[in-house]
Amino acid sequence: MSLAHFRAGRRAALRAAAAPAALAIAFAVPVTHARAEEPTSTPILIEGDRALPGPLERMTPADTTGPAPRDAGEFLSRLQGVTSGRFGGHGNEISLRGLTQDNIAVISDGAYVFGGCPNRMDPPSSLSALLPDDVVTVARGYQSVTDGPPAPGGTVSIDRADPYDIAEGPGGGIEGGIESNGATRFVSAQARYGLGGAYARGFANAKRAENYEDGDGREVRSAFDQYGGGLEAGWRYGNRSVLSLSSDVDIVEDALFAGAGMDSPWTAARTVKASLDHNFDQGSLLAKLEISAYGSFVEHLMDNYSLRTPGMMTMRTDANSDTYGGRVAAGFDAMGGMLTVGVDHRTNNRNAESRMNMMGGAPTMISNYTWPDMFIRDTGFFGEYGAPMDEVTALKLGIRADLVSVEAKRADWLPGGMGALTARQLYAAYYGVTDTDRQETNVSGFARLTRDFGKASGWIGAARAVRTADATERGIVRYSAMAPANNWVGNPAIKPEKHYQLDTGLTAGEGPWGLTGGIWYDRVEDFISRDLARGQSGVLRSDGASIYRNVDAELAGVDLSGSYRFSESWKANATASYTYGANLTDDRPLYQIAPLSGSVEVVYEQPVWQVGTRLGWAANQTRADTDPLTGAGLDAQETPGHAVLDLFASWQPVTGLELKGGVSNLLDQTYASYLSRSNGFDPTVVQVNEPGRSFYIQAALTF
């Protein structure tokens, strides 16, 4: 089988598993069948391409078109309904169903990694190395209680390839490429070895990018260097059971950010993980046992002088974010379905110190304990049950209770400088709150029903997802007595968000065509809103500082996708997504809501080569929160619509070798994502613009 045919088959299998027609397989199958990996119902088969993501989507980076992404956030933004905001060349912040940051869980091979930058130069999606055969799963909305503390926007899981796919003896691959705009170069290599039940694999990668130019030829500060690698060893035994131990590191150096007052000379993320996935013999009540533990450790440095010309005042922030976690879960063959019960735990500790020097030398005086040694501990108890109700209908139910505890160990540490205040004093000044310790008990749950109608299938779901506030929302401190409008103070008394979600949709297909449509609604009690201090209820000051408060909000959206195969060689795919968001308490648009957007792709393919074109588009967005006098002012501007044309091609000259190339932004359009930050380095440009025209070529060799 050729590489092209293999990838086409794998792509179809992954997407079919994610399509709503096959949700019964993923959501509710008897344990005996799940262990054998056989479906209990037959999904709709569409002879055209199955580019129908629905609420659950799986893909591998090797099966996508376009230039190599600068980070995982940029890769995810190419998927339907996922948008991103640009800060520089690295550190793209993703948004899903109108929610972002900690409303989205990013799980890298079973481990949570939280960024170490209070200003989010390093969101979790930027700290995960993507390998060609990684399986990326995007679950839109709250669909499972087993993935850890609730993430109402959705869950992104990046998992290494199945250890059982590692054949006997040596194997591996290498890929590399170059992109013209920004002179981006990358190379990555994998090696693996299987010997009986034992296996080992490792990878290494490196990427370097210079500043790119936007469509008008203006240079955008976006350069960075990134490199890392990882090792995994394990034992495969019994009924597809695996015991494994892994470790990896990802380092980003000299990252420039056009949308910030600082750059980042150094960010390092290190992760270790041990796991056991044991499948018992068929017929036993206890079907599956999962035990895992991990630790992720992020160090981050940012300053305003080592990578740019400093002003009179030099500033530097040293931060770290350490996360420890694990889980124990058991699967039972119960009443014709799978009952999963378990417990998981996650502790995140974030600590940041900011220094400054008013005279321009090396910053030595501590100006703020920006994260005052924040600890957020979450222990969750969960149960999830899925089973077919009949041959065409499946039901999945889940409930979860999270016990949360919070403390700020440096809340009473006094920084230097004129008029300095401790974190506790600032919490009292802005909110009248002095107690930084908090305890919460949060209950979440969901129900999902799927049904196969023959030539169509549908789903309907309801969920309650409760998200606790993160370290920034609870306790960040950036304070200057001389410039109160630049202050940024977290709220220790902030309440957790309560999301009440409904979603439903339908997939239909026959012969060469397929279509998926879905709608969703999310009513949020106590939405955690970043705002400006104007003496609102619960806010004691009116100095324009950045603060956090609870409001009521609502979000809603529509997702459409379709595919059509005109002939054996020609196919087309199209998508469109729209999200509406409103702050109900203040009667204004919710900030950072992407506009109506989508894509149209046409491909001509032969057994060993293909060529295609893709038009990505976004409508104008006029529902913006841009006025700092009446709103939060977190949107840079109302953005005009845009359309960007890409060309791409691939060729497999011999088995195991694939060449890719193309042109992104062929017409050299100048545009910015609505979610992108304000360009703080170039006052002639409102936002950080996307790259202009860029040519690229890549090669991948597998053996």
Side-chain angles (χ1 to χ4, degrees), residues 13 16-45 58 282 336 387-388 390-394 450 452:
L23 288 181
I25 303 171
F27 285 173
V29 295
V31 173
T32 53
H33 289 162
R35 292 199 301 267
E37 297 190 344
E38 296 175 358
T40 58
S41 62
T42 302
I44 302 169
L45 296 178
R58 291 192 180 98
Q282 293 189 12
D390 53 42
E391 292 184 355
V392 295
T393 308
T450 61
D452 191 343

Side-chain angles (χ1 to χ4, degrees), residues 105-108 110-114 147-149 155 271 294-296 323-324 346:
V106 179
I107 307 173
S108 181
Y112 282 86
V113 181
F114 290 97
D147 290 330
T155 299
T271 305
Y294 68 88
S296 63
T323 308
Y324 307 86
R346 187 181 75 192

Side-chain angles (χ1 to χ4, degrees), residues 35 76 127 157 188 226 231 321 329 635 672:
R35 292 199 301 267
L76 291 165
L127 299 174
S157 300
S188 69
Q226 183 175 17
L231 293 170
S321 175
D635 294 326

Side-chain angles (χ1 to χ4, degrees), residues 123-378:
S125 57
S126 72
L127 299 174
S128 299
L130 280 178
L131 303 180
D133 290 327
D134 285 351
V135 178
V136 180
T137 304
V138 178
R140 296 164 170 84
Y142 190 50
Q143 294 196 38
S144 178
V145 299
T146 67
D147 290 330
T155 299
V156 177
S157 300
I158 303 172
D159 297 304
R160 302 292 181 235
D162 189 340
Y164 275 87
D165 291 338
I166 299 176
E168 288 289 297
I174 185 170
E175 66 169 350
I178 186 168
E179 185 178 356
S180 64
N181 193 350
T184 304
R185 296 88 77 194
F186 81 96
V187 62
S188 69
Q190 297 186 70
R192 54 185 178 268
Y193 195 91
L195 181 62
Y199 74 92
R201 56 183 168 187
F203 72 92
N205 55 38
K207 186 177 298 182
R208 170 169 289 184
E210 307 298 334
N211 293 336
Y212 65 72
E213 293 182 351
D214 67 12
D216 288 332
R218 288 180 293 242
E219 186 175 286
V220 177
R221 288 176 58 83
S222 53
F224 67 91
D225 290 341
Q226 183 175 17
Y227 55 93
L231 293 170
E232 179 182 345
W235 180 258
R236 304 165 294 188
Y237 67 95
N239 184 17
R240 296 189 66 85
S241 299
V242 178
L243 174 66
S244 67
L245 177 66
S246 63
S247 177
D248 59 74
V249 61
D250 188 83
I251 296 173
V252 180
E253 293 183 344
D254 297 339
L256 306 185
F257 292 91
M262 294 186 179
D263 298 311
S264 177
W266 172 264
T267 299
R270 299 174 176 85
T271 305
V272 293
K273 181 194 174 191
S275 67
L276 169 67
D277 293 330
H278 182 83
N279 291 305
F280 292 87
D281 292 336
Q282 293 189 12
S284 60
L285 175 63
L286 180 59
K288 187 176 181 66
L289 179 65
E290 300 178 24
I291 303 174
S292 65
Y294 68 88
S296 63
F297 315 97
V298 179
E299 302 173 12
H300 178 76
L301 168 64
M302 58 181 175
D303 65 44
N304 72 339
Y305 57 89
S306 64
L307 299 173
R308 62 176 70 181
T309 302
M312 284 296 296
M313 182 172 64
T314 57
M315 297 180 293
R316 166 182 172 140
T317 296
D318 295 85
N320 64 271
S321 175
D322 297 336
T323 308
Y324 307 86
R327 88 182 215 137
V328 177
F332 296 90
D333 193 347
M335 298 177 289
M338 167 75 82
L339 172 65
T340 302
V341 295
V343 58
D344 56 39
H345 178 82
R346 187 181 75 192
T347 292
N348 178 238
N349 169 222
R350 299 194 199 188
N351 194 30
E353 295 180 358
S354 297
R355 291 176 168 81
M356 63 179 294
N357 189 329
M358 296 292 292
M359 305 305 295
T364 55
M365 184 188 73
I366 296 178
S367 56
N368 285 289
Y369 293 101
T370 311
W371 278 328
D373 206 8
M374 300 287 297
F375 280 83
I376 300 179
R377 302 177 178 90
D378 188 310

